[in-house]
PDB file of all heavy atoms in Angstrom:
ATOM      1  N   ILE A   1     262.265 -78.229  15.552  1.00  0.00           N
ATOM      2  CA  ILE A   1     261.141 -77.392  15.287  1.00  0.00           C
ATOM      3  C   ILE A   1     261.326 -76.080  16.126  1.00  0.00           C
ATOM      4  O   ILE A   1     262.055 -75.964  17.050  1.00  0.00           O
ATOM      5  CB  ILE A   1     259.634 -78.003  15.657  1.00  0.00           C
ATOM      6  CG1 ILE A   1     259.861 -78.532  17.127  1.00  0.00           C
ATOM      7  CG2 ILE A   1     259.470 -79.202  14.702  1.00  0.00           C
ATOM      8  CD1 ILE A   1     258.455 -79.135  17.610  1.00  0.00           C
ATOM      9  N   PHE A   2     260.528 -75.047  15.746  1.00  0.00           N
ATOM     10  CA  PHE A   2     260.562 -73.733  16.314  1.00  0.00           C
ATOM     11  C   PHE A   2     262.008 -73.145  16.343  1.00  0.00           C
ATOM     12  O   PHE A   2     262.398 -72.550  17.356  1.00  0.00           O
ATOM     13  CB  PHE A   2     260.034 -73.801  17.829  1.00  0.00           C
ATOM     14  CG  PHE A   2     258.552 -74.129  17.861  1.00  0.00           C
ATOM     15  CD1 PHE A   2     258.145 -75.266  18.482  1.00  0.00           C
ATOM     16  CD2 PHE A   2     257.631 -73.313  17.262  1.00  0.00           C
ATOM     17  CE1 PHE A   2     256.750 -75.596  18.474  1.00  0.00           C
ATOM     18  CE2 PHE A   2     256.289 -73.621  17.241  1.00  0.00           C
ATOM     19  CZ  PHE A   2     255.857 -74.864  17.932  1.00  0.00           C
ATOM     20  N   ARG A   3     262.730 -73.257  15.361  1.00  0.00           N
ATOM     21  CA  ARG A   3     264.065 -72.838  15.204  1.00  0.00           C
ATOM     22  C   ARG A   3     264.249 -71.846  14.002  1.00  0.00           C
ATOM     23  O   ARG A   3     263.462 -72.027  12.981  1.00  0.00           O
ATOM     24  CB  ARG A   3     265.042 -74.002  14.923  1.00  0.00           C
ATOM     25  CG  ARG A   3     265.229 -74.875  16.070  1.00  0.00           C
ATOM     26  CD  ARG A   3     266.089 -76.083  15.812  1.00  0.00           C
ATOM     27  NE  ARG A   3     266.822 -76.052  14.513  1.00  0.00           N
ATOM     28  CZ  ARG A   3     267.947 -76.558  14.295  1.00  0.00           C
ATOM     29  NH1 ARG A   3     268.673 -77.111  15.316  1.00  0.00           N
ATOM     30  NH2 ARG A   3     268.590 -76.640  13.172  1.00  0.00           N
ATOM     31  N   GLN A   4     265.062 -70.934  14.083  1.00  0.00           N
ATOM     32  CA  GLN A   4     265.303 -70.028  12.962  1.00  0.00           C
ATOM     33  C   GLN A   4     266.766 -69.533  13.156  1.00  0.00           C
ATOM     34  O   GLN A   4     267.256 -69.252  14.122  1.00  0.00           O
ATOM     35  CB  GLN A   4     264.355 -68.753  13.200  1.00  0.00           C
ATOM     36  CG  GLN A   4     264.480 -67.749  12.094  1.00  0.00           C
ATOM     37  CD  GLN A   4     263.555 -66.655  12.364  1.00  0.00           C
ATOM     38  OE1 GLN A   4     262.434 -66.819  12.947  1.00  0.00           O
ATOM     39  NE2 GLN A   4     263.866 -65.429  11.965  1.00  0.00           N
ATOM     40  N   THR A   5     267.375 -69.347  11.932  1.00  0.00           N
ATOM     41  CA  THR A   5     268.699 -68.764  11.910  1.00  0.00           C
ATOM     42  C   THR A   5     268.739 -67.298  12.178  1.00  0.00           C
ATOM     43  O   THR A   5     267.811 -66.601  11.691  1.00  0.00           O
ATOM     44  CB  THR A   5     269.320 -69.020  10.453  1.00  0.00           C
ATOM     45  OG1 THR A   5     269.361 -70.415  10.223  1.00  0.00           O
ATOM     46  CG2 THR A   5     270.831 -68.514  10.426  1.00  0.00           C
ATOM     47  N   ASP A   6     269.558 -66.883  13.073  1.00  0.00           N
ATOM     48  CA  ASP A   6     269.705 -65.558  13.435  1.00  0.00           C
ATOM     49  C   ASP A   6     268.453 -64.948  14.030  1.00  0.00           C
ATOM     50  O   ASP A   6     268.118 -63.738  13.741  1.00  0.00           O
ATOM     51  CB  ASP A   6     270.320 -64.706  12.303  1.00  0.00           C
ATOM     52  CG  ASP A   6     271.637 -65.047  11.901  1.00  0.00           C
ATOM     53  OD1 ASP A   6     272.538 -65.291  12.880  1.00  0.00           O
ATOM     54  OD2 ASP A   6     272.141 -64.788  10.767  1.00  0.00           O
ATOM     55  N   ALA A   7     267.667 -65.689  14.860  1.00  0.00           N
ATOM     56  CA  ALA A   7     266.409 -65.218  15.335  1.00  0.00           C
ATOM     57  C   ALA A   7     266.658 -63.957  16.290  1.00  0.00           C
ATOM     58  O   ALA A   7     265.767 -63.153  16.349  1.00  0.00           O
ATOM     59  CB  ALA A   7     265.783 -66.285  16.159  1.00  0.00           C
ATOM     60  N   TYR A   8     267.816 -63.902  16.977  1.00  0.00           N
ATOM     61  CA  TYR A   8     267.967 -62.848  17.908  1.00  0.00           C
ATOM     62  C   TYR A   8     269.226 -61.993  17.417  1.00  0.00           C
ATOM     63  O   TYR A   8     269.720 -61.275  18.199  1.00  0.00           O
ATOM     64  CB  TYR A   8     268.377 -63.437  19.370  1.00  0.00           C
ATOM     65  CG  TYR A   8     267.169 -64.274  19.766  1.00  0.00           C
ATOM     66  CD1 TYR A   8     267.372 -65.712  19.762  1.00  0.00           C
ATOM     67  CD2 TYR A   8     266.012 -63.835  20.135  1.00  0.00           C
ATOM     68  CE1 TYR A   8     266.367 -66.561  20.203  1.00  0.00           C
ATOM     69  CE2 TYR A   8     265.027 -64.799  20.614  1.00  0.00           C
ATOM     70  CZ  TYR A   8     265.206 -66.080  20.610  1.00  0.00           C
ATOM     71  OH  TYR A   8     264.222 -66.910  21.027  1.00  0.00           O
ATOM     72  N   THR A   9     269.520 -61.857  16.172  1.00  0.00           N
ATOM     73  CA  THR A   9     270.525 -61.261  15.648  1.00  0.00           C
ATOM     74  C   THR A   9     270.027 -59.865  14.953  1.00  0.00           C
ATOM     75  O   THR A   9     268.964 -60.015  14.247  1.00  0.00           O
ATOM     76  CB  THR A   9     271.370 -62.030  14.573  1.00  0.00           C
ATOM     77  OG1 THR A   9     271.829 -63.201  15.180  1.00  0.00           O
ATOM     78  CG2 THR A   9     272.471 -61.208  13.961  1.00  0.00           C
ATOM     79  N   ILE A  10     270.578 -58.793  15.338  1.00  0.00           N
ATOM     80  CA  ILE A  10     270.255 -57.530  14.524  1.00  0.00           C
ATOM     81  C   ILE A  10     271.068 -57.326  13.399  1.00  0.00           C
ATOM     82  O   ILE A  10     272.269 -57.403  13.548  1.00  0.00           O
ATOM     83  CB  ILE A  10     270.406 -56.348  15.663  1.00  0.00           C
ATOM     84  CG1 ILE A  10     269.544 -56.540  16.939  1.00  0.00           C
ATOM     85  CG2 ILE A  10     270.078 -55.039  15.060  1.00  0.00           C
ATOM     86  CD1 ILE A  10     269.835 -55.698  18.078  1.00  0.00           C
ATOM     87  N   LYS A  11     270.452 -57.146  12.322  1.00  0.00           N
ATOM     88  CA  LYS A  11     271.252 -56.824  11.053  1.00  0.00           C
ATOM     89  C   LYS A  11     271.448 -55.473  10.887  1.00  0.00           C
ATOM     90  O   LYS A  11     270.542 -54.663  10.809  1.00  0.00           O
ATOM     91  CB  LYS A  11     270.558 -57.605   9.908  1.00  0.00           C
ATOM     92  CG  LYS A  11     270.352 -59.096  10.059  1.00  0.00           C
ATOM     93  CD  LYS A  11     270.579 -59.732   8.773  1.00  0.00           C
ATOM     94  CE  LYS A  11     270.741 -61.218   9.003  1.00  0.00           C
ATOM     95  NZ  LYS A  11     269.689 -62.042   9.053  1.00  0.00           N
ATOM     96  N   GLU A  12     272.633 -54.995  10.984  1.00  0.00           N
ATOM     97  CA  GLU A  12     273.029 -53.602  10.800  1.00  0.00           C
ATOM     98  C   GLU A  12     272.913 -53.174   9.342  1.00  0.00           C
ATOM     99  O   GLU A  12     272.875 -53.979   8.518  1.00  0.00           O
ATOM    100  CB  GLU A  12     274.394 -53.309  11.258  1.00  0.00           C
ATOM    101  CG  GLU A  12     274.643 -53.705  12.790  1.00  0.00           C
ATOM    102  CD  GLU A  12     273.973 -52.803  13.713  1.00  0.00           C
ATOM    103  OE1 GLU A  12     273.308 -51.716  13.231  1.00  0.00           O
ATOM    104  OE2 GLU A  12     273.980 -53.113  14.917  1.00  0.00           O
ATOM    105  N   PRO A  13     272.689 -51.855   9.113  1.00  0.00           N
ATOM    106  CA  PRO A  13     272.520 -51.422   7.693  1.00  0.00           C
ATOM    107  C   PRO A  13     273.646 -51.815   6.715  1.00  0.00           C
ATOM    108  O   PRO A  13     273.487 -51.931   5.568  1.00  0.00           O
ATOM    109  CB  PRO A  13     272.414 -49.941   7.901  1.00  0.00           C
ATOM    110  CG  PRO A  13     271.946 -49.660   9.182  1.00  0.00           C
ATOM    111  CD  PRO A  13     272.532 -50.795  10.083  1.00  0.00           C
ATOM    112  N   ASP A  14     274.889 -51.859   7.381  1.00  0.00           N
ATOM    113  CA  ASP A  14     276.075 -52.232   6.518  1.00  0.00           C
ATOM    114  C   ASP A  14     276.240 -53.812   6.350  1.00  0.00           C
ATOM    115  O   ASP A  14     277.198 -54.301   5.753  1.00  0.00           O
ATOM    116  CB  ASP A  14     277.358 -51.750   7.130  1.00  0.00           C
ATOM    117  CG  ASP A  14     277.674 -52.316   8.490  1.00  0.00           C
ATOM    118  OD1 ASP A  14     277.014 -53.150   9.010  1.00  0.00           O
ATOM    119  OD2 ASP A  14     278.722 -51.853   9.079  1.00  0.00           O
ATOM    120  N   GLY A  15     275.306 -54.583   6.734  1.00  0.00           N
ATOM    121  CA  GLY A  15     275.220 -55.997   6.641  1.00  0.00           C
ATOM    122  C   GLY A  15     275.918 -56.687   7.845  1.00  0.00           C
ATOM    123  O   GLY A  15     275.855 -58.022   7.812  1.00  0.00           O
ATOM    124  N   THR A  16     276.545 -56.082   8.768  1.00  0.00           N
ATOM    125  CA  THR A  16     277.193 -56.891   9.906  1.00  0.00           C
ATOM    126  C   THR A  16     276.031 -57.345  10.861  1.00  0.00           C
ATOM    127  O   THR A  16     274.971 -56.819  10.859  1.00  0.00           O
ATOM    128  CB  THR A  16     278.183 -55.950  10.589  1.00  0.00           C
ATOM    129  OG1 THR A  16     277.531 -54.855  11.175  1.00  0.00           O
ATOM    130  CG2 THR A  16     279.324 -55.515   9.759  1.00  0.00           C
ATOM    131  N   ARG A  17     276.432 -58.301  11.524  1.00  0.00           N
ATOM    132  CA  ARG A  17     275.541 -58.996  12.540  1.00  0.00           C
ATOM    133  C   ARG A  17     275.900 -58.373  13.995  1.00  0.00           C
ATOM    134  O   ARG A  17     276.920 -58.651  14.478  1.00  0.00           O
ATOM    135  CB  ARG A  17     275.641 -60.457  12.585  1.00  0.00           C
ATOM    136  CG  ARG A  17     275.358 -61.012  11.214  1.00  0.00           C
ATOM    137  CD  ARG A  17     275.694 -62.470  11.032  1.00  0.00           C
ATOM    138  NE  ARG A  17     275.076 -63.301  11.942  1.00  0.00           N
ATOM    139  CZ  ARG A  17     275.731 -64.070  12.862  1.00  0.00           C
ATOM    140  NH1 ARG A  17     277.035 -64.322  12.762  1.00  0.00           N
ATOM    141  NH2 ARG A  17     275.030 -64.951  13.684  1.00  0.00           N
ATOM    142  N   ASN A  18     274.894 -57.787  14.590  1.00  0.00           N
ATOM    143  CA  ASN A  18     274.986 -57.365  15.948  1.00  0.00           C
ATOM    144  C   ASN A  18     274.356 -58.437  16.850  1.00  0.00           C
ATOM    145  O   ASN A  18     273.262 -58.821  16.819  1.00  0.00           O
ATOM    146  CB  ASN A  18     274.171 -56.090  16.132  1.00  0.00           C
ATOM    147  CG  ASN A  18     274.404 -55.459  17.546  1.00  0.00           C
ATOM    148  OD1 ASN A  18     274.520 -56.186  18.486  1.00  0.00           O
ATOM    149  ND2 ASN A  18     274.188 -54.132  17.691  1.00  0.00           N
ATOM    150  N   LEU A  19     275.287 -59.079  17.751  1.00  0.00           N
ATOM    151  CA  LEU A  19     274.839 -60.228  18.529  1.00  0.00           C
ATOM    152  C   LEU A  19     274.660 -59.854  19.990  1.00  0.00           C
ATOM    153  O   LEU A  19     274.607 -60.685  20.901  1.00  0.00           O
ATOM    154  CB  LEU A  19     275.959 -61.217  18.532  1.00  0.00           C
ATOM    155  CG  LEU A  19     276.387 -61.789  17.127  1.00  0.00           C
ATOM    156  CD1 LEU A  19     277.527 -62.656  17.248  1.00  0.00           C
ATOM    157  CD2 LEU A  19     275.118 -62.356  16.400  1.00  0.00           C
ATOM    158  N   ILE A  20     274.318 -58.448  20.258  1.00  0.00           N
ATOM    159  CA  ILE A  20     274.111 -58.065  21.582  1.00  0.00           C
ATOM    160  C   ILE A  20     272.929 -58.817  22.341  1.00  0.00           C
ATOM    161  O   ILE A  20     272.986 -59.177  23.452  1.00  0.00           O
ATOM    162  CB  ILE A  20     273.867 -56.572  21.737  1.00  0.00           C
ATOM    163  CG1 ILE A  20     274.156 -56.140  23.274  1.00  0.00           C
ATOM    164  CG2 ILE A  20     272.671 -56.163  21.157  1.00  0.00           C
ATOM    165  CD1 ILE A  20     274.297 -54.591  23.329  1.00  0.00           C
ATOM    166  N   LEU A  21     271.852 -58.973  21.587  1.00  0.00           N
ATOM    167  CA  LEU A  21     270.662 -59.724  22.256  1.00  0.00           C
ATOM    168  C   LEU A  21     271.069 -61.228  22.469  1.00  0.00           C
ATOM    169  O   LEU A  21     270.733 -61.727  23.565  1.00  0.00           O
ATOM    170  CB  LEU A  21     269.451 -59.692  21.325  1.00  0.00           C
ATOM    171  CG  LEU A  21     268.731 -58.358  21.137  1.00  0.00           C
ATOM    172  CD1 LEU A  21     267.652 -58.478  20.125  1.00  0.00           C
ATOM    173  CD2 LEU A  21     268.191 -57.777  22.472  1.00  0.00           C
ATOM    174  N   GLU A  22     271.805 -61.894  21.501  1.00  0.00           N
ATOM    175  CA  GLU A  22     272.226 -63.259  21.787  1.00  0.00           C
ATOM    176  C   GLU A  22     273.048 -63.344  22.981  1.00  0.00           C
ATOM    177  O   GLU A  22     272.915 -64.298  23.729  1.00  0.00           O
ATOM    178  CB  GLU A  22     272.699 -63.731  20.441  1.00  0.00           C
ATOM    179  CG  GLU A  22     272.961 -65.260  20.456  1.00  0.00           C
ATOM    180  CD  GLU A  22     273.533 -65.875  19.208  1.00  0.00           C
ATOM    181  OE1 GLU A  22     273.367 -65.152  18.128  1.00  0.00           O
ATOM    182  OE2 GLU A  22     273.996 -66.944  19.270  1.00  0.00           O
ATOM    183  N   LYS A  23     274.003 -62.456  23.004  1.00  0.00           N
ATOM    184  CA  LYS A  23     275.007 -62.560  24.057  1.00  0.00           C
ATOM    185  C   LYS A  23     274.283 -62.377  25.455  1.00  0.00           C
ATOM    186  O   LYS A  23     274.543 -62.942  26.451  1.00  0.00           O
ATOM    187  CB  LYS A  23     276.071 -61.566  23.813  1.00  0.00           C
ATOM    188  CG  LYS A  23     277.054 -61.956  22.678  1.00  0.00           C
ATOM    189  CD  LYS A  23     278.156 -60.964  22.465  1.00  0.00           C
ATOM    190  CE  LYS A  23     278.918 -61.432  21.304  1.00  0.00           C
ATOM    191  NZ  LYS A  23     279.896 -60.361  20.937  1.00  0.00           N
ATOM    192  N   GLY A  24     273.394 -61.408  25.518  1.00  0.00           N
ATOM    193  CA  GLY A  24     272.599 -61.131  26.678  1.00  0.00           C
ATOM    194  C   GLY A  24     271.719 -62.296  27.140  1.00  0.00           C
ATOM    195  O   GLY A  24     271.648 -62.491  28.319  1.00  0.00           O
ATOM    196  N   LEU A  25     271.170 -63.019  26.162  1.00  0.00           N
ATOM    197  CA  LEU A  25     270.446 -64.218  26.514  1.00  0.00           C
ATOM    198  C   LEU A  25     271.234 -65.335  27.057  1.00  0.00           C
ATOM    199  O   LEU A  25     270.724 -66.264  27.745  1.00  0.00           O
ATOM    200  CB  LEU A  25     269.567 -64.737  25.278  1.00  0.00           C
ATOM    201  CG  LEU A  25     268.477 -63.662  24.873  1.00  0.00           C
ATOM    202  CD1 LEU A  25     267.789 -64.137  23.445  1.00  0.00           C
ATOM    203  CD2 LEU A  25     267.349 -63.690  25.887  1.00  0.00           C
TER     204      LEU A  25
END
C-alpha cells in the first residue's frame, strides 16, 4: 500500500527519466 511507480521520478519532455530526486532521497 501507499506505493506508486516512479513517484519521485521527473519525466523530461523527451521521455527520459530524471532520477535526481530519487538519488537524493
Side-chain angles (χ1 to χ4, degrees):
I1 57 176
F2 297 115
R3 294 173 8 144
Q4 178 180 334
T5 301
D6 290 331
Y8 305 107
T9 302
I10 300 167
K11 298 218 167 92
E12 299 291 353
D14 65 359
T16 59
R17 298 168 61 233
N18 181 332
L19 303 176
I20 193 164
L21 291 176
E22 186 173 344
K23 289 177 182 175
L25 291 169

